[in-house]
């Protein structure tokens, strides 16, 4: 792996060595079950509760409002399935660009008789708050809109959407799996009721997530058993994973401000480098309202050849992706997120997602730009003489 450039941090991130250090004792000597009354058990319990406080602090929440789950997917499922409609039937509002963890759960609920509205997005992938207002019905009991999109990186106006939802009397859930630890999320200022998180997106371990549940919100469990997590998610806790999540949340919270600036500058440097090196390369998504380390681009006229392009990049040591990791098995198919943003099916095949992380460097960015240039020249030799197109031209027709 050495010498490789990993720019796919939206798929997953390397575990921070400080996170690993915090976890190690709980994979070795401290193996107690947090529900046990003896010393070993109490030690594990203390570690779980300390980590719960660290994750809560990332959101400005109380520790008691955090439920640990096995993943971000499970946290989303718990939110959508655990909140019950007041009557037998009800209505949920969500967006057309949610992650499968939300969309597939919504489709399941639809089959069970719940009515769904899938909101449109604009050309940058952003939801118009007036569309949420217009979609609300007397029987709407839940609105679920992601904080930041995993494919194009655009950030939604969550505060405003949550406020509109609360004025209506419904609950508001946000999938913050991509956003948490990268942009500020503060539940004392934003009236969101449920937030899904995942440790492996913020330099923590895989297989551990959390759901923030605002105090007073009623939530039915999905997993029944020994009553762990205050009865909301039974199962012996993943102590090492939880401890790692706590440390990852703590590091993300402490470093957020500086890291945001560093990543935004690095991303701009990357975009300018790529635009100069690859003819026809254009930005996808909002230029400003996006995750700092997230760059999504297309290459005019070569959208259907992205698979071959990524293969050359990979062979040359650069790991990037064609959208979300979960849809990688559908490579070559148009991205549903880009279709929702108004791209025609041909162009919707052409997304290259480049996502930077804590350990990404300027040197890596410069080397990646050179590899992109070589790969483009190798695949499309005649394109080198073509004039560059700019992002807005993608939408010109
Ligand atoms: N939600 C979003 C926006 C994601 O990007 C992902 C993972 O890619 C998930 C949910 C699922 O999280 P996990 O991989 O922890 O199940």
């Amino acid at each position: 792996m050495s010498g490789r450039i990993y720019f796919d941090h939206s798929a997953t991130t390397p575990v921070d060595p400080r996170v690993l250090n915090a976890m190690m004792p709980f994979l070795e000597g401290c193996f107690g079950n947090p529900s046990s009354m003896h010393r070993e058990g109490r030690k594990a319990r203390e570690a779980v509760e300390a980590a719960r406080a660290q994750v809560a602090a990332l959101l400005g929440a109380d520790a008691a409002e955090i439920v640990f789950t096995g993943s971000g997917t499970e946290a989303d499922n718990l939110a959508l399935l655990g909140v019950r409609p007041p009557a037998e039937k009800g209505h949920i509002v969500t967006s057309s660009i949610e992650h499968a963890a939300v969309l597939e759960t919504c489709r399941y609920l639809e089959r069970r008789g719940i009515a769904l509205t899938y909101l449109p997005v604009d050309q940058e992938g952003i939801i118009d708050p007036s569309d949420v207002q217009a979609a609300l019905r007397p029987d709407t009991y839940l609105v679920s809109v992601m904080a930041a999109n995993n494919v194009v990186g655009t950030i939604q106006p969550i505060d405003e959407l949550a406020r509109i939802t609360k004025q209506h009397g419904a609950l508001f859930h946000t999938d913050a799996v991509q956003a948490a630890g990268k942009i500020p999320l503060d539940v004392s200022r934003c009236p969101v009721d449920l937030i899904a998180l995942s440790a492996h997106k913020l330099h923590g371990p895989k297989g551990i997530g959390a759901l923030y549940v605002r105090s007073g919100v009623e939530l039915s469990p999905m997993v029944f058993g020994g009553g762990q997590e205050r009865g909301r998610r039974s199962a012996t806790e993943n102590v090492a994973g939880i401890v790692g999540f706590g440390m990852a949340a703590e590091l993300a919270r402490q470093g957020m401000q500086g890291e945001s600036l560093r990543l935004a500058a690095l991303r701009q440097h990357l975009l300018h480098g790529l635009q100069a090196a690859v003819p026809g390369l254009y930005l996808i998504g909002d230029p400003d309202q996006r995750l700092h380390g997230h760059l999504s681009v297309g290459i005019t006229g070569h959208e259907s050849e992205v698979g071959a392009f990524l293969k050359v990049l990979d062979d040359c040591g650069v790991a990037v992706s064609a959208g979300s990791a979960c849809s990688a098995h559908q490579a070559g198919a148009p991205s549903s997120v880009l279709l929702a943003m108004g791209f025609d099916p041909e162009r919707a095949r052409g997304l290259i997602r480049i996502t930077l992380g804590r350990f990404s460097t300027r040197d890596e960015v410069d080397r990646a730009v050179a590899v992109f240039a070589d790969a483009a020249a190798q695949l499309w030799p005649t394109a080198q003489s073509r004039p560059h197109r700019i992002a807005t031209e993608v939408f010109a027709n």
Side-chain angles (χ1 to χ4, degrees), residues 134-156:
L136 294 168
R137 312 189 326 196
D139 61 343
T140 307
Y141 67 97
L142 183 65
V143 174
S144 176
V145 175
M146 68 202 319
N149 183 263
N150 49 305
V151 177
V152 290
T154 42
I155 297 171
Q156 302 297 340

Side-chain angles (χ1 to χ4, degrees), residues 12 20 22 42 67 120 124 208 251 276 284 303 335 349:
T12 194
L20 190 60
R42 293 199 306 275
V67 180
E124 318 286 14
I208 183 71
L251 294 172
I284 296 172
E303 283 87 351
S335 152
R349 284 175 214 280

Side-chain angles (χ1 to χ4, degrees), residues 12 16 41 72 90 120 180 197 267 274 282 306 331 337 360 376 378 385:
T12 194
D16 190 297
L197 310 172
R267 185 194 76 211
L274 290 177
Y282 57 88
V306 154
V337 172
S360 303
Q378 187 181 319
S385 55

Side-chain angles (χ1 to χ4, degrees), residues 71-73 76 99 146 150 175 177-178 198 200-201:
S71 61
T73 299
D76 280 329
H99 186 271
M146 68 202 319
N150 49 305
D175 173 342
V177 166
Q178 292 292 342
S198 181
H200 76 98
K201 306 287 187 181

Side-chain angles (χ1 to χ4, degrees), residues 78-208:
L78 180 57
L80 292 161
L81 302 175
V83 170
R84 296 282 158 86
E88 207 159 286
K89 300 243 183 302
H91 175 234
I92 295 179
V93 177
T94 189
S95 86
S96 45
I97 61 162
E98 296 297 310
H99 186 271
V102 168
L103 282 182
E104 290 304 318
T105 313
C106 286
R107 285 184 192 126
Y108 166 80
L109 286 168
E110 247 179 323
R111 293 194 291 275
R112 312 274 301 199
I114 300 293
L116 255 298
T117 298
Y118 298 92
L119 296 172
V121 293
D122 68 13
Q123 290 181 342
E124 318 286 14
I126 296 182
I127 290 171
D128 185 340
S130 66
D131 285 342
V132 173
Q133 185 77 61
L136 294 168
R137 312 189 326 196
D139 61 343
T140 307
Y141 67 97
L142 183 65
V143 174
S144 176
V145 175
M146 68 202 319
N149 183 263
N150 49 305
V151 177
V152 290
T154 42
I155 297 171
Q156 302 297 340
I158 288 303
D159 290 15
E160 200 177 346
L161 304 185
R163 233 165 265 127
I164 291 169
T165 303
K166 298 309 291 177
Q167 273 162 13
H168 184 77
L171 294 177
F172 188 83
H173 163 249
T174 189
D175 173 342
V177 166
Q178 292 292 342
K182 297 174 194 156
I183 57 171
L185 296 166
D186 183 352
V187 298
S188 67
R189 282 192 290 150
C190 175
V192 56
D193 296 294
L194 300 141
I195 306 177
L197 310 172
S198 181
H200 76 98
K201 306 287 187 181
L202 51 142
H203 298 283
K206 293 171 185 60
I208 183 71

